[in-house]
Amino acid sequence: MPAPTLFDYTDHSPYSNPGNHAGYFAELSTDPEALHRFACTAVVHYRAGGPALTEAQKADPDRRWLSSILDAAESRAPLDGPRTQAQQVAGCCRDHTLLTLGVLRTHDVPARSRIGFARYITPDWHTDHVVGERWDGTRWVRYDPELDQVDFDFDVHDMPTGPASPFLTAAEAWLAIRAGTADPATFGVGPDLPEDVRGRDFVRSYVLYEVAHRHRDELLLWDLWGPQLGTRFVREAAGGQAAAWVRDAGLPGADMSDAEFDAVADELAYLLVAADAGDGEAADQLAELYREDARLHPGERVLTLSPTGHGGVTDLAAR
């Protein structure tokens, strides 16, 4: 099965489709600074900076569809005007990036999201993060829609790439950990948060997210499927109830051992890095593995374990 083409990346995924806001998106600028302003006006990070969220905002982080994010934003203030923090949609880096994908794809600009870890958010820490890439006609240009250029010494709209760059892809991070050249204890949501959201196994799960987002399945970072379902985190989540939800729903992949998950993550990470380096055969092989192995891609249902406190099996087809 061939890898996504540039044409595929101009087409909306179910997640990036702006729905009845497409006309408005067609009028927006694709200038990187304009995209930054739009994304950060529409969405406020639900956790960073400790914002005081309204009751309406507390459920916002679970809005996985761009059309839902835009509906909520428009219900609180006009999309084309300023808004207070209380009128913003509470979300995260995934949502900031998804907004920009929606605009770029509406204008037929190939765009995709990338999952990994940023070195520039917390000192001496690799923070889990989602950024975007846009095709400029000759190459993929990586950008972080949340960043204001004045605060950083690298081009936030054309970020360096590779293992020494400010942003490591999940695949690069996993391979560095496996090679012993990176400390897994320095990766995760935050250094002061529970072990379930940092460390080696957390990075391994993010390899699966990176593959999904590369193939235009831009799920939430708390949607889980396949080998993630058999991890200790899921077995212990919701007081042990999460494992029962997985079993009752018959979700595939929960029987994969840790050793097998490691081997799968190794293969996926090698193929991701090779594809980034321009290896078309690796990109095609990655796409075939992702689509053909039911454990590696989200089906119609996933397990959701949200930081909002929501937990359960989500029917993606029902929207």
Side-chain angles (χ1 to χ4, degrees):
M1 179 174 293
T5 64
L6 290 176
F7 178 78
D8 291 328
Y9 286 122
T10 67
D11 192 21
H12 283 299
S13 70
Y15 304 92
S16 72
N17 194 324
N20 59 11
H21 305 283
Y24 173 66
F25 267 38
E27 298 175 0
L28 292 176
S29 172
T30 61
D31 173 74
E33 188 58 37
L35 289 175
H36 159 69
R37 289 194 300 271
F38 173 60
C40 292
T41 297
V43 171
V44 62
H45 200 289
Y46 76 96
R47 184 177 55 82
L53 300 181
T54 67
E55 285 303 311
Q57 287 175 315
K58 289 178 181 178
D60 283 344
D62 292 331
R63 297 181 183 274
R64 63 176 52 75
W65 316 105
L66 179 56
S67 57
S68 175
I69 294 172
L70 295 169
D71 287 346
E74 187 176 51
S75 73
R76 298 170 192 174
L79 288 178
D80 59 355
R83 60 184 60 231
T84 65
Q85 180 179 293
Q87 293 171 325
Q88 291 178 288
V89 178
C92 68
C93 50
R94 176 262 184 190
D95 305 304
H96 289 111
T97 297
L98 190 66
L99 279 162
T100 67
L101 299 187
V103 175
L104 291 168
R105 289 171 178 172
T106 296
H107 288 263
D108 293 326
V109 177
R112 63 192 184 188
S113 51
R114 300 304 302 266
I115 306 290
F117 298 87
R119 290 185 165 113
Y120 47 81
I121 295 176
T122 300
D124 303 317
W125 185 258
H126 302 85
T127 304
D128 72 310
H129 202 38
V130 183
V131 299
E133 289 181 341
R134 59 191 290 170
W135 184 257
D136 73 350
T138 58
R139 66 184 178 94
W140 286 105
V141 175
R142 189 171 296 172
Y143 65 91
D144 188 330
E146 289 190 71
L147 302 188
D148 190 326
Q149 183 61 67
V150 299
D151 298 325
F152 297 91
D153 59 4
F154 56 87
D155 189 342
V156 302
H157 304 309
D158 188 353
M159 298 168 62
T161 60
S165 67
F167 176 87
L168 282 175
T169 66
E172 290 168 339
W174 174 249
L175 293 179
I177 289 170
R178 294 288 270 172
T181 58
D183 181 1
T186 66
F187 290 80
V189 177
D192 300 323
L193 294 176
E195 292 184 4
D196 288 332
V197 291
R198 55 187 172 89
R200 176 191 182 280
D201 290 354
F202 185 80
V203 176
R204 181 180 63 180
S205 282
Y206 267 47
V207 174
L208 203 60
Y209 288 128
E210 185 185 354
V211 177
H213 277 238
R214 186 184 184 93
H215 293 88
R216 302 171 60 255
D217 287 326
E218 298 103 356
L219 276 79
L220 298 172
L221 300 180
W222 34 92
D223 288 332
L224 298 97
W225 66 92
Q228 295 172 318
L229 302 176
T231 60
R232 180 185 59 81
F233 170 62
V234 170
R235 291 196 300 270
E236 297 178 358
Q241 186 63 34
W245 295 334
V246 170
R247 183 179 61 252
D248 293 345
L251 300 180
D255 58 347
M256 185 182 290
S257 68
D258 266 349
E260 188 178 2
F261 194 179
D262 282 352
V264 167
D266 288 345
E267 182 175 17
L268 295 176
Y270 279 117
L271 291 173
L272 281 161
V273 170
D276 276 347
D279 186 335
E281 184 176 340
D284 288 343
Q285 187 177 348
L286 180 66
E288 183 173 1
L289 279 173
Y290 180 66
R291 296 299 180 195
E292 296 301 322
D293 191 333
R295 302 171 301 175
L296 301 186
H297 64 262
E300 292 187 351
R301 294 180 295 175
V302 295
L303 175 67
T304 301
L305 297 175
S306 170
T308 66
H310 165 70
V313 173
T314 298
D315 185 345
L316 298 175
R319 297 198 57 170

